[in-house]
């Protein structure tokens, strides 16, 4: 039988009880090592301990589909990249949960398989976004860039054995082949006996089909590290390791909101869930469900405080509209008994950039022009299409936003012949991304 909304809420309340004290007490600073390590475990478990149940067929995962009526633990695995949305970074966790409850949502109607490498579900996480979320980053570092060769404030733990492990440590699995995929896991618990000897180590990670939670004996943990030449990383200075990429500098991740118990609308939901941004001109599909059979009298859509549409007797099913004016919107229903339903909240926003040329000269500075409306440009992300190790981040300043352009340092184009360029923006409902590919001469 499928999980009831009551069980879903109870599960979220248990997660909330585990993390709320530290989240609410936090002031945005990393504090000492024990503080941020404890928070990393709390934040990892927001995603890994979640329980949810699909309401219909069609939600894809690796080599199959999630089954309706079956309860799953942990958020789904999917390398959504710039096409889908990362849970916790691009959308709230509650946005995913709202989409789960809507049988007409993108979770059931869309698949990224064949469109995006290593992706299936439209909303998901991967190993690197899971650990980066836990480690309080504003944007995720790919798995290959977690270690001391690429980051400050981190070192190898030697010997890499259970007795040396600490919560908050990262396990890195190198690729099997050149330019192959790598993997990261997070140590979340180290269990000791009354004599202080380590007996077990708990490791949590994002992998197909959902997050994984494994408690290994010390012997099995040591064998796990020895296999595939895995390395154990210890972040000794979180601020140095994150650099400008601190979560508290951005609106997302929003740990307090992700750990809170959401109220999922039972009258209407959006195809993207609820509390979510849409691109300007992107169709917004409102599913009128009336699950409690109250009777829908009128559908009302507002932009801010201005009513822009009122539809009498809309019936049940999907109601589609496209909005070309940016702003924050609500959609709600007037019911037959005179009450108002909860409102679905969403934004219509624009984020884009322009290049002076489609071809960039190697080893020289260049700039991109920013285009945005109801969306704050925050990061430009660069990925060398030929190397998973050649990735760069330029964090957009307030001065950049005021002048409408951001300067790109010369070193970003030293190695690549072709670069993926992502512009990432955020508002209070989430993030949008725009990607273009550029040639480097």
């Amino acid at each position: 039988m499928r999980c009831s909304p009551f069980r879903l809420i109870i599960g979220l309340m248990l997660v909330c009880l585990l993390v709320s004290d530290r989240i609410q007490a936090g002031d945005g600073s990393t504090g000492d090592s024990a503080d941020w390590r404890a928070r990393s475990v709390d934040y990892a478990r927001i995603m890994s301990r979640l329980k949810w149940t699909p309401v219909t067929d069609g939600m894809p995962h690796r080599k199959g589909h999630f089954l309706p009526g079956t309860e799953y633990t942990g958020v789904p695995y999917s390398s959504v990249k710039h096409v889908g949305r990362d849970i916790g970074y691009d959308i709230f966790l509650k946005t995913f949960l709202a989409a789960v409850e809507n049988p007409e949502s993108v979770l059931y109607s869309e698949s990224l398989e064949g469109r995006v490498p290593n992706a299936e579900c439209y909303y998901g996480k991967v190993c690197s976004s899971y650990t980066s979320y836990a480690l309080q980053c504003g944007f995720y570092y790919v798995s290959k860039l977690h270690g001391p060769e690429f980051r400050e404030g981190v070192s190898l733990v030697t010997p890499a054995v259970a007795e040396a492990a600490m919560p908050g440590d990262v396990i890195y699995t190198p690729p099997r082949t050149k330019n192959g995929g790598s993997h990261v896991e997070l140590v979340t618990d180290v269990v000791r006996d009354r004599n202080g000897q380590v007996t077990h180590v708990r490791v949590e990670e994002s992998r197909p089909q959902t997050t994984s939670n494994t408690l290994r004996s010390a012997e099995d943990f040591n064998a796990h590290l020895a296999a595939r030449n895995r390395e154990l990383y210890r972040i000794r200075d979180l601020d140095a390791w994150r650099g400008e990429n601190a979560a508290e500098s951005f609106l997302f991740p929003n740990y307090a909101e992700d750990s809170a118990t959401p109220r999922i609308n039972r009258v209407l939901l959006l195809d993207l869930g609820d509390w979510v941004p849409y691109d300007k001109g992107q169709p917004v599909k409102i599913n009128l469900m009336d699950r409690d059979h109250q009777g829908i009298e009128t559908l009302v859509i507002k932009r801010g405080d201005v009513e822009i549409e009122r539809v009498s007797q809309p019936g049940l099913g999907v109601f589609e509209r496209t909005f070309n004016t940016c702003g924050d919107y609500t959609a709600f229903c007037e019911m037959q008994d005179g009450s108002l339903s909860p409102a679905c909240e969403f934004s219509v926003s624009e984020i884009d950039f322009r290049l002076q040329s489609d071809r960039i000269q190697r080893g020289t500075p260049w700039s991109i022009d920013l285009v945005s409306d109801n969306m704050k440009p925050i990061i430009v992300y660069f990925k060398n299409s030929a190397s998973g190790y050649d990735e760069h981040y330029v964090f957009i300043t307030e001065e950049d936003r005021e002048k409408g352009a951001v300067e790109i340092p010369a070193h970003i184009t030293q190695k690549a012949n072709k670069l993926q360029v992502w512009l990432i923006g955020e508002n209070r409902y989430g993030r949008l991304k725009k990607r273009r590919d550029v040639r480097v001469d």
Side-chain angles (χ1 to χ4, degrees), residues 234-255:
R234 172 139 322 138
I235 299 172
R236 304 186 184 277
D237 184 334
L238 182 65
D239 285 335
W241 186 79
R242 299 183 303 172
E244 298 177 88
N245 194 22
E248 53 268 27
S249 299
F250 304 95
L251 298 177
F252 288 81
N254 188 322
Y255 301 107

Side-chain angles (χ1 to χ4, degrees), residues 41-61:
V41 174
D42 289 342
Y43 297 159
R45 290 176 175 173
I46 292 174
M47 297 293 165
S48 68
R49 303 300 173 89
L50 175 74
K51 296 187 181 297
W52 55 279
T53 303
V55 298
T56 191
D57 291 306
M59 185 176 175
H61 64 60

Side-chain angles (χ1 to χ4, degrees), residues 5-6 8-10 12-13 50 92-102 256-270 273-275 289 291-292 294 331-333 335 337 339-345:
F6 177 77
L8 179 88
I9 291 171
I10 291 298
L12 282 170
M13 288 176 65
L50 175 74
F92 295 112
L93 181 59
K94 65 182 180 180
T95 300
F96 165 72
L97 292 173
V100 167
E101 293 296 317
N102 177 9
E257 199 69 45
D258 285 346
S259 65
T261 303
R263 180 186 181 186
I264 306 299
N265 200 321
R266 293 181 57 81
V267 176
L268 70 166
L269 284 169
L270 310 172
D274 200 351
W275 310 284
M289 302 180 297
R291 284 184 166 178
D292 298 318
Q294 296 174 277
F332 60 92
C333 292
M335 312 307 290
D337 63 2
S339 65
L340 301 180
S341 77
C344 283
E345 300 180 36

Side-chain angles (χ1 to χ4, degrees), residues 354-357 360 364-369 403 405-408:
R354 301 189 184 99
L355 302 171
Q356 295 180 353
S357 172
I360 305 300
T364 61
W366 49 295
S367 66
I368 64 173
D369 295 328
K403 69 180 182 181
V406 57
E407 299 298 318
I408 309 303

Side-chain angles (χ1 to χ4, degrees), residues 61 186 309 351:
H61 64 60
L186 190 72
E309 189 165 8
I351 187 78

Side-chain angles (χ1 to χ4, degrees), residues 28-33 36 39 135-137 141 151-154 235-249:
S29 62
T30 57
D32 63 30
S33 176
W36 74 253
R39 283 198 296 271
L135 294 168
Q136 299 132 71
C137 296
Y141 293 123
R151 309 242 67 78
E152 296 181 2
V154 59
I235 299 172
R236 304 186 184 277
D237 184 334
L238 182 65
D239 285 335
W241 186 79
R242 299 183 303 172
E244 298 177 88
N245 194 22
E248 53 268 27
S249 299

